[in-house]
């Protein structure tokens, strides 16, 4: 039931491409542990805005939670939409972000129907890197990190 | 780190922010800062329902930064007891305040007409709430959600009709399933014509050393998810205690006439979990997920037409609206909880008021003339439900008296010896022994959570303790909880926040404290609260203890008045208040 906090460390070791998966959204208890883990790990801040994963409420907490996370598309629309190549899809499928190239136009945000990309306060996209930190801090088995077969 | 107080004056509709670095340095945050602001804002003898009476909301240095630091404390003058009012709520409020950048909010004055306050970061607006005045607390949330920004990161706190009508034990509903339940904050909102407060923020918080912060976070997080609190509060939840206390003869039943309920099995936590539980929720930033939500499906016609209500439950409402009223069905209890939720009143006080009235009717102190033909009878869910709505209206003198709390009603109609309040606050669900009684009597807000006397009694059931040992434990908890409530953490996980861990966590956000600092803070906070209590007329030496406590067998057997006297003598001596 409880996430393995060491996933964070393990992730650094592995090489094969891994992908975050919202495996059981209906199990979400709305703790926001994943969001804090994401901003804490990626940006060293305490923030909801800086998180690449978003847990949204629909009709307050009486309603169901919607867990919005990057799907790690094989043919990634966000990368295709980027006019300057700041979001680049590598041959192994991973989408990498080159901050220095980004003009902050927001095309990527629009291209992703899931809503996985939001623009940060610095007008740059907040994009999931599939590191798995959020998985380690989900207490309710909602999230999973899966290996992507090449 | 942001250490600011937001002041809002409802009369002038003005707001401003003051940096109060010293205040936070000396008093940490949460309840420490809350009591100091109350002393500043609330002169002796202030009418708690006047515009001069303040509402203070405060969070502490760990809120948002660490797991289970999820609470906000409300500090005010209680219209129920006439002295210190203090209540804690979870949900998303502490997080919203953190990200809006306000560690404390002081609300003064009275709005000209019904109003709600909207806080978006530093932007504060007092808005018209006339069209939603009179609407139940749940629907108010639904409506305000439509009008305010910040989906998923905001907090909406609001009152129901009970608060508007100044029921002295009206609460404030926080994000639907959590509450500032106790001591009448809802009535204070109502007296200010304040229907709701919506908070959302977009700030983020930095830490001095991200690596150290992550290290401490991960360590505390894994301790929390590994301790038994996780299992205890997550699985069946607090209501697991219904069976336990029933078996231990500590479950108040039918207004404390009994301490075990023959039909307890039918309202046990296990029964709720197996048949009604459909989901669990967490306060933002807590992995435990203790909030248990039941689905109550009831037919309203014979043609398979149903109403579906989602009702949160816990140990306390199952005691107060269940065993304490002889209600022997989970469904009946859920229905009564739902009425309290919609009206916006404290379930514990409501249950105790009804249980006193039921016994008063049995004894002929009141009749159907006063109750306007509602039969106050054990297990009469329909009657109780109508009675609760009448308390809010109220249609006559009797219901007006009930709306003032049990101590007031019993002074008027008799039966004070079975009006189950200590320090004028209706008691919680434990007849475990002397530590529970003394704990609630001496506690700063007369709550079982001030020092957990009920848990000291349960310890004593395993390994005998003399009165002095019990008093020592009560004092230790009184003080250490003052510190924890300054942070402001959820008491369910207090075991994880040892002094060492608190010092580490504070260090990670840039605050240096020693064990001595923490211990002296705990003592100072307690003393400041008592200063306020005494100023407002609380007198421990003359505090009333209903005789019923001595008549009904408890977990530790019959409690002798002499034991309580001895413990109070010890307590005063150790606090330096008397010769002993
Ligand atoms: S951000 Fe959206 S479009 Fe891009 S890879 Fe993720 S899910 Fe696909
Ligand atoms: S996988 Fe990593 S980057 Fe993606 S949402 Fe989770 S923590 Fe954030
Ligand atoms: S950590 Fe898991 S349970 Fe908590 S909000 Fe995220 S997805 Fe939901």
């Amino acid at each position: 039931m409880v996430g393995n906090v060491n996933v964070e460390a393990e992730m650094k070791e592995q090489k094969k491409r891994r992908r975050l998966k919202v495996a059981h959204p209906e199990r979400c208890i709305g703790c926001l542990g994943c969001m804090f883990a994401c901003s804490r790990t990626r940006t060293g801040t305490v923030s909801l805005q800086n998180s690449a994963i978003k847990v949204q409420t629909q009709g307050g907490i009486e309603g169901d939670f919607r867990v919005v996370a990057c799907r790690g598309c094989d043919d990634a629309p966000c990368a295709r939409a980027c006019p300057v190549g700041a979001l680049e899809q590598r041959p192994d499928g991973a989408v990498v972000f080159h901050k220095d190239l980004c003009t902050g136009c927001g095309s990527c945000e629009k291209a992703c129907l899931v809503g996985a990309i939001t623009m940060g306060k610095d007008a740059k996209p907040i994009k999931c890197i599939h590191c798995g930190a959020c998985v380690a801090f989900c207490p309710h088995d909602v999230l999973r990190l899966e290996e992507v077969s090449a | 780190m942001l250490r600011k107080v937001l002041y809002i004056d409802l009369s002038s509709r003005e707001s401003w922010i003051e940096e109060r670095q010293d205040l936070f340095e000396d008093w940490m945050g949460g309840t420490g800062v809350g009591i100091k602001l109350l002393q500043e804002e609330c002169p002796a003898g202030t009418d708690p329902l006047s515009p001069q009476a303040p509402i203070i909301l405060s969070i502490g240095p760990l809120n948002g930064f660490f797991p289970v630091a999820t609470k906000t404390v409300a500090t005010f003058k209680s219209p129920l007891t006439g002295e210190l009012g203090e209540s804690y709520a979870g949900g998303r409020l502490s997080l919203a305040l953190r990200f809006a950048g306000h560690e404390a909010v002081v609300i003064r004055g009275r709005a000209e007409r019904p109003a709600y306050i909207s806080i978006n970061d530093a932007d504060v607006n007092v808005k018209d709430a006339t069209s939603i005045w009179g609407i139940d607390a749940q629907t108010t949330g639904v409506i305000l959600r439509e009008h305010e920004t910040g989906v998923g990161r905001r907090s909406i706190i609001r009152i129901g009709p009970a608060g508007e009508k100044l029921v002295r034990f009206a609460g404030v509903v926080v994000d639907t399933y959590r509450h500032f339940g106790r001591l009448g904050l809802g009535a204070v909102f109502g007296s200010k014509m304040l229907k709701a407060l919506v908070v959302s923020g977009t700030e983020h918080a930095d830490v001095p050393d991200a690596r150290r912060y992550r290290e401490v976070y991960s360590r505390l997080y894994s301790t929390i998810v590994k301790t038994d609190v996780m299992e205890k509060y997550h699985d069946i939840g607090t209501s697991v205690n219904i069976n336990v206390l029933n078996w231990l003869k500590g479950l108040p039943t039918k207004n404390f006439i009994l301490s075990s309920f023959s039909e307890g099995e039918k309202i046990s936590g296990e029964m709720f979990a197996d048949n009604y539980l459909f989901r669990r929720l967490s306060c933002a930033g807590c992995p435990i997920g203790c909030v248990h939500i039941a689905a109550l499906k009831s037919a309203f016609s014979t043609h398979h037409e149903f109403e579906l209500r989602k009702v949160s439950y816990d140990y306390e409402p199952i005691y107060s609206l269940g065993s304490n009223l002889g209600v022997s069905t989970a469904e009946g209890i859920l229905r009564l909880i739902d009425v309290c939720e919609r009206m916006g009143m404290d379930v514990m006080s409501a249950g105790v008021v009804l249980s006193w009235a039921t016994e008063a009717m049995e004894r002929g102190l009141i009749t159907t003339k006063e109750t306007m033909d509602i039969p106050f009878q054990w297990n009469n869910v329909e009657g109780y439900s109508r009675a609760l709505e009448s308390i809010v209206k109220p249609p006559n003198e009797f219901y007006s008296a009930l709306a003032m709390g049990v101590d007031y009603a019993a002074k008027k109609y008799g039966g004070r010896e079975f009006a189950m309040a200590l320090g004028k606050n209706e008691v919680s669900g434990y007849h475990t022994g002397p530590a529970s009684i003394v704990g609630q009597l001496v506690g700063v807000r007369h709550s079982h959570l001030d020092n957990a006397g009920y848990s000291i009694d349960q310890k004593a059931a395993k390994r005998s303790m003399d009165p002095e040992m019990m008093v020592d434990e009560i004092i230790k908890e009184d003080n250490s909880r003052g510190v924890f409530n300054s942070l402001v953490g959820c008491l369910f996980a207090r075991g994880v926040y040892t002094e060492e861990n608190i010092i580490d966590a504070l260090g990670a956000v840039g605050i240096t404290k020693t064990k001595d600092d923490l211990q002296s803070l705990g003592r100072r906070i307690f003393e400041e609260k008592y200063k306020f209590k005494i100023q407002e007329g609380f007198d421990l030496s003359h505090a009333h203890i209903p005789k019923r406590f001595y008549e009904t067998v408890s977990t530790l057997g019959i409690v002798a008045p002499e034991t309580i006297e001895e413990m109070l003598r010890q307590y005063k001596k150790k606090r330096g208040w008397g010769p002993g």
Side-chain angles (χ1 to χ4, degrees):
Chain A
M1 177 183 72
V2 163
N4 176 4
V5 178
N6 292 327
V7 173
E8 230 180 308
E10 279 169 32
M11 286 306 96
K12 293 200 181 101
E13 311 278 295
Q14 56 86 30
K15 280 164 205 79
K16 229 181 187 177
R17 183 181 159 214
R18 294 207 187 177
R19 184 158 56 190
L20 171 65
K21 186 170 184 212
V22 184
H24 299 291
E26 59 291 325
R27 294 185 191 172
C28 178
I29 56 172
C31 70
L32 311 187
C34 52
M35 297 182 71
F36 286 113
C38 184
S39 35
R40 186 169 67 244
T41 313
R42 280 179 39 265
T43 67
T45 58
V46 181
S47 161
L48 292 177
Q49 312 278 311
N50 291 344
S51 171
I53 184 168
K54 271 124 198 137
V55 177
Q56 299 171 346
T57 49
Q58 324 186 79
I61 54 171
E62 300 105 291
D64 293 330
F65 293 105
R66 200 165 97 81
V67 182
V68 178
C70 172
R71 303 181 62 223
C73 303
D74 288 332
D75 174 19
C78 56
R80 273 191 277 121
C82 179
V84 295
L87 278 175
E88 179 208 356
Q89 189 153 35
R90 292 259 169 91
D92 71 348
V95 173
V96 289
F97 178 54
H98 307 289
K99 198 170 183 174
D100 44 333
L101 297 179
C102 176
T103 60
C105 71
S107 305
C108 53
E109 183 184 24
K110 290 193 198 89
C112 177
L113 297 184
V114 174
I117 293 186
T118 50
M119 303 303 280
K121 277 199 166 166
D122 59 354
K124 309 275 163 167
I126 296 166
K127 166 79 178 72
C128 171
I129 54 172
H130 298 272
C131 67
C134 54
V135 179
F137 288 93
C138 173
H140 231 225
D141 205 19
V142 175
L143 307 171
R144 195 161 290 168
L145 203 61
E146 53 176 32
E147 286 200 353
V148 185
S149 42
Chain B
M1 169 119 97
L2 303 154
R3 313 236 66 177
K4 295 184 289 195
V5 182
L6 168 66
Y7 291 85
I8 302 168
D9 189 325
L10 287 167
S11 305
S12 64
R13 307 164 72 90
E14 279 169 0
S15 70
W16 64 97
I17 291 166
E18 284 178 25
E19 291 216 12
R20 299 287 308 264
Q21 205 65 29
D22 290 356
L23 175 69
F24 287 97
E25 255 158 41
D26 291 348
W27 298 96
M28 188 72 89
T31 198
V33 163
I35 184 63
K36 290 314 283 181
L37 286 171
L38 184 69
Q39 288 172 342
E40 287 176 15
E41 296 287 326
C42 192
T46 302
D47 172 355
L49 299 178
S50 68
Q52 286 70 42
I55 297 169
I56 295 149
L57 302 176
S58 47
I59 60 170
L62 300 189
N63 289 106
F65 287 88
F66 284 101
V68 306
T70 52
K71 300 269 176 172
T72 304
V73 53
T75 313
F76 52 102
K77 181 168 173 182
S78 166
L80 179 68
T81 64
E83 38 117 341
L84 179 62
E86 187 183 311
S87 188
Y88 295 78
R92 298 196 158 179
L93 182 58
S94 72
L95 200 64
L97 286 168
R98 162 71 63 221
F99 291 140
H102 313 295
E103 273 196 84
V105 180
V106 174
I107 301 168
R108 304 170 173 161
R110 171 182 288 155
E112 202 182 328
R113 52 169 64 87
Y116 77 97
I117 298 173
S118 160
I119 302 176
N120 275 297
D121 294 330
D123 191 26
V124 180
N125 285 290
V126 178
K127 299 183 176 176
D128 190 342
T130 314
S131 59
I132 54 172
W133 198 250
I135 288 183
D136 71 78
Q138 271 151 339
T139 312
T140 300
V142 173
I143 293 171
L144 288 177
R145 247 176 247 137
E146 297 283 308
H147 294 282
E148 293 291 316
T149 56
V151 184
R153 57 183 160 76
R154 67 186 163 195
S155 179
I156 303 181
I157 75 174
R158 65 271 188 176
I159 59 170
E164 296 172 14
K165 291 293 183 60
L166 311 181
V167 172
R168 299 304 193 268
F169 47 89
V172 175
V173 177
V174 175
D175 302 328
T176 310
Y177 295 126
R178 304 281 84 194
H179 314 85
F180 287 118
R182 309 234 65 196
L183 295 170
L185 182 65
V188 183
F189 267 56
S191 74
K192 299 191 167 320
M193 305 293 273
L194 179 60
K195 181 69 175 170
L197 174 76
V198 187
V199 188
S200 84
T202 57
E203 301 280 340
H204 72 267
D206 291 310
V207 287
D209 174 352
R211 176 188 298 234
R212 177 166 172 214
Y213 169 58
R214 281 198 284 262
E215 185 273 313
V216 179
Y217 190 104
S218 296
R219 189 157 50 77
L220 290 178
Y221 184 89
S222 48
T223 317
I224 290 163
V225 295
K226 277 188 208 116
T227 52
D228 59 346
V229 302
M230 186 76 186
E231 246 1 88
K232 182 171 162 203
Y233 293 114
H234 179 81
D235 183 354
I236 307 281
T238 54
S239 59
V240 76
N241 279 330
I242 293 288
N243 272 346
V244 176
L245 284 160
N246 198 20
W247 183 76
L248 287 172
K249 292 198 172 56
L251 177 69
T253 300
K254 298 186 179 169
N255 199 40
F256 286 69
I257 292 171
L258 301 164
S259 54
S260 60
F261 188 30
S262 57
E263 302 189 86
E265 285 284 336
K266 295 194 205 154
I267 60 165
S268 68
E270 290 77 359
M271 173 65 94
F272 275 81
D274 288 341
N275 300 299
Y276 294 91
L277 177 65
F278 83 104
R279 83 189 293 201
R280 297 191 182 90
L281 293 170
S282 253
C283 298
C286 166
I288 298 174
C290 77
V291 187
H292 284 56
I293 316 287
L296 175 62
K297 178 178 155 184
S298 36
F300 63 89
S301 85
T302 50
H303 304 288
H304 295 92
E305 292 180 293
F306 299 101
E307 296 171 351
L308 182 70
R309 295 192 199 125
K310 300 168 184 175
V311 186
S312 71
Y313 65 90
D314 258 305
Y315 172 78
E316 300 297 346
I318 301 180
Y319 133 72
S320 63
L321 299 168
S323 62
N324 188 46
L325 294 175
V327 174
S328 59
T329 59
E331 202 174 319
I333 294 169
L334 290 170
R335 278 186 55 196
L336 293 174
I337 297 176
D338 188 57
V339 177
C340 289
E341 289 281 19
R342 280 185 287 114
M343 295 294 127
M345 62 172 112
D346 180 47
V347 286
M348 264 192 266
S349 291
V352 171
V353 165
L354 294 181
S355 69
W356 166 83
T358 308
E359 189 172 345
M361 193 157 199
E362 272 185 348
R363 291 170 180 263
L365 297 175
I366 53 169
T367 65
T368 47
K369 191 171 133 278
E370 283 83 18
T371 69
M372 301 176 74
D373 292 329
I374 296 179
F376 280 67
Q377 276 160 355
W378 307 123
N379 202 14
N380 184 342
V381 173
E382 181 55 36
Y384 287 141
S385 158
R386 280 165 51 210
L388 289 172
E389 296 191 4
S390 298
I391 289 173
V392 174
K393 273 189 194 84
N396 68 5
E397 218 180 291
F398 171 68
Y399 286 104
S400 301
L402 293 189
M404 300 294 288
V406 79
D407 194 61
Y408 180 97
K411 274 186 196 145
K412 189 171 167 118
Y413 292 95
R416 214 171 163 224
E417 59 286 1
F418 56 86
M420 303 310 285
L422 289 168
K424 295 193 194 158
N425 189 18
E426 288 76 17
V427 296
S428 53
Y430 305 91
H431 189 46
T432 46
S436 171
I437 301 167
V438 171
Q440 290 182 81
L441 190 67
V442 302
V444 287
R445 61 195 147 118
H446 307 293
S447 154
H448 63 296
L449 292 174
D450 281 327
N451 44 43
Y454 61 96
S455 135
I456 299 170
D457 285 329
Q458 288 175 66
K459 240 189 260 174
K462 289 181 197 138
R463 147 188 89 86
S464 95
M465 288 168 88
D466 63 29
E468 182 170 359
M469 287 160 82
M470 287 186 162
V471 166
D472 286 339
E473 291 266 324
I474 290 174
I475 291 178
K476 201 173 105 219
E477 288 296 319
D478 271 343
N479 291 0
S480 68
R481 286 177 184 226
V483 176
F484 195 55
N485 289 339
S486 298
L487 297 174
V488 180
C490 172
L491 286 168
F492 288 170
R494 62 190 173 269
V496 174
Y497 282 86
T498 57
E499 277 180 345
E500 291 79 10
N501 283 342
I502 291 176
I503 289 168
D504 281 354
L506 287 170
V509 299
I511 297 173
T512 312
K513 291 282 173 213
T514 64
K515 280 192 182 189
D516 284 348
D517 294 340
L518 294 182
Q519 283 167 10
S520 110
L521 177 71
R523 269 195 309 274
R524 286 189 294 132
I525 290 175
F526 181 88
E527 284 162 12
E528 293 305 311
K529 288 182 182 175
Y530 252 84
K531 263 190 218 160
F532 185 83
K533 292 170 74 68
I534 290 165
Q535 169 193 305
E536 300 305 325
F538 177 69
D539 177 1
L540 184 55
S541 303
H542 294 99
H544 171 70
I545 301 175
K547 277 211 193 68
R548 178 59 46 80
F549 280 118
Y550 307 130
E551 296 163 353
T552 305
V553 68
S554 76
T555 304
L556 296 178
I558 288 284
V559 179
E562 296 73 31
T563 309
I564 302 294
E565 274 160 33
E566 168 62 12
M567 283 175 72
L568 287 173
R569 200 183 57 78
Q570 293 270 3
Y571 188 86
K572 285 188 246 172
K573 183 173 136 206
K574 285 173 193 272
R575 283 288 180 197
W577 295 339

